[in-house]
Amino acid sequence: MRELKLKAMAKINLGLDVLRKREDGYHELRMIMQTIRLYDRIQITVTEAEGIRVKTNLPFLTVGEDNLVYRAARLLMEEFQIRKGVFINLEKHIPVAAGLAGGSSDAAAVLIGVNRLFRLGLSRTELMNRGVKLGADVPYCILRGTALAEGIGEKLTPLPAPPACHVLLAKPKAHISTKFVYGNLKADQLPFHPDIDGQIEALKTGDLKALAEKMGNVLETVTIPACPVIQEIKDEMMKMGARNAMMSGSGPTVFGLFEDKAAARKAYEKLKRGSMAKQVYLTEFFSPAAGSDGAGGGAEGRRTLQRRETGLKGGGPDDR
């Protein structure tokens, strides 16, 4: 095999709680992670000349050793002393620095791709154990689907997939760094904690209403005062018929869960026309097929959606 094409899918957090700040400076987390059908395209080609080359469609992204896809390829190629090289073409569609784990998902896809191309024989668990060296979200992005994430996000327990619904995403123009959010979080003074256990029960019973009602993200206690438009987008989505709306990860992207397709489409069009959000997408949940290793898609992953629902020309809904 000389070439491989992969999809690196985004994630949202259906619930995000911070239990405490640890002595090592990291925060102890408890989160419900969910893959969505918004994705970057990655093509990996084996080259005879040694080394790693990365190309991307976004001119502001680094393509050297600071890029996570470069580091992911190097991690396996150095460990297994691979003497050939790889060329990685990264076509970005997941918003950057948005709370959607785009960079982590790209790294996860490259780990899977290098493992396949060079027939390294690593299991998904073995890839996940290596992925945590690149970032706390990388193991989840290898696993994909629905999962409880604990520790710093690396301890994963698969959960039942949620009922199907429409997921509206809106990223405002503002930039909020993860370092700023966690640096200003008062983990010992949080005014609320989301009901993660209640969400797990709702997943087990397939109750979307209960799942949505129990959504919560404690990081909003930092981001909303710093970036009030996050609350404005949440309010607008709720006004337009979302079951609930919340910021994903450390933000600033907001997502809303809609049961009604027409209402979701109407909200999408209104946010696209407005000034609150710079990037707006309409997509849905993704659940990997049984036996999938996290990048191919399987029968479930091949289900087609209409591209027009996301406003994207390249990545987005699972269209192959």
Side-chain angles (χ1 to χ4, degrees):
M1 191 184 296
R2 301 280 307 177
E3 185 179 281
L4 197 58
K5 294 180 179 179
L6 302 162
K7 295 171 182 173
M9 291 191 171
K11 66 82 186 169
I12 55 175
N13 301 89
L14 296 172
L16 194 161
D17 196 10
V18 176
L19 306 181
R20 65 186 179 92
K21 187 174 182 179
R22 307 188 330 183
E23 291 182 5
D24 60 8
Y26 289 98
H27 288 78
E28 192 79 18
L29 306 174
R30 199 159 187 257
M31 308 178 288
I32 304 290
M33 311 277 271
Q34 176 61 50
T35 308
I36 56 174
R37 293 178 181 274
L38 172 66
Y39 59 86
D40 296 337
R41 294 179 182 272
I42 295 176
Q43 180 174 319
I44 309 174
T45 305
V46 177
T47 61
E48 292 302 322
E50 291 186 31
I52 300 165
R53 287 195 304 128
V54 178
K55 178 185 176 184
T56 179
N57 60 324
L58 298 183
F60 61 84
L61 286 183
T62 176
V63 294
E65 296 185 6
D66 290 337
N67 191 301
L68 267 178
V69 301
Y70 185 106
R71 291 168 54 199
R74 182 177 62 186
L75 188 150
L76 291 184
M77 294 176 76
E78 286 186 351
E79 178 183 351
F80 289 89
Q81 300 181 355
I82 295 170
R83 297 308 176 199
K84 293 186 178 182
V86 291
F87 170 66
I88 303 170
N89 185 36
L90 172 59
E91 187 180 307
K92 290 290 297 178
H93 297 283
I94 301 171
V96 177
L100 301 174
S104 295
S105 190
D106 294 338
V110 169
L111 290 175
I112 291 167
V114 170
N115 184 48
R116 286 187 193 170
L117 282 169
F118 294 103
R119 299 178 182 177
L120 303 181
L122 295 172
S123 67
R124 183 168 62 181
T125 299
E126 289 171 325
L127 286 174
M128 290 166 66
N129 290 339
R130 287 162 173 81
V132 74
K133 299 175 184 177
L134 302 169
D137 282 343
V138 176
Y140 167 74
C141 292
I142 293 171
L143 177 68
R144 301 205 306 193
T146 313
L148 171 67
E150 298 175 286
I152 61 171
E154 87 289 6
K155 298 175 183 177
L156 300 167
T157 305
L159 295 171
C165 71
H166 303 277
V167 182
L168 179 60
L169 301 167
K171 183 194 175 189
K173 296 177 183 178
H175 171 75
I176 299 180
S177 74
T178 300
K179 183 177 180 181
F180 169 83
V181 174
Y182 280 100
N184 287 275
L185 181 72
K186 295 178 172 59
D188 58 343
Q189 301 176 32
L190 292 171
F192 74 97
H193 290 277
D195 185 0
I196 301 296
D197 288 332
Q199 287 195 303
I200 293 172
E201 187 59 33
L203 287 167
K204 290 178 179 178
T205 59
D207 189 340
L208 181 65
K209 180 175 181 288
L211 178 69
E213 286 176 349
K214 297 177 188 303
M215 281 167 41
N217 182 346
V218 299
L219 301 184
E220 290 181 346
T221 59
V222 177
T223 57
I224 289 176
C227 184
V229 72
I230 292 172
Q231 185 64 52
E232 293 172 22
I233 294 172
K234 288 176 59 176
D235 292 343
E236 186 63 32
M237 288 185 180
M238 293 295 291
K239 206 186 316 180
M240 296 292 287
R243 274 288 185 188
N244 207 344
M246 189 179 87
M247 183 184 76
S248 180
S250 58
T253 303
V254 175
F255 70 90
L257 303 185
F258 290 77
E259 288 182 283
D260 183 74
K261 183 178 181 179
R265 183 68 191 176
K266 188 175 180 180
Y268 165 79
E269 296 289 355
K270 185 171 183 179
L271 285 169
K272 280 288 279 187
R273 292 192 305 268
S275 60
M276 287 189 290
K278 182 180 180 181
Q279 294 166 281
V280 184
Y281 309 93
L282 184 56
T283 184
E284 60 180 24
F285 297 144
F286 170 84
S287 297
S292 168
D293 65 1
E300 169 69 11
R302 287 193 295 270
R303 189 161 61 81
T304 302
L305 298 177
Q306 294 297 321
R307 276 187 185 177
R308 61 181 175 80
E309 288 196 0
T310 66
L312 292 181
K313 295 180 181 178
D318 208 337
D319 59 3
R320 286 191 291 151

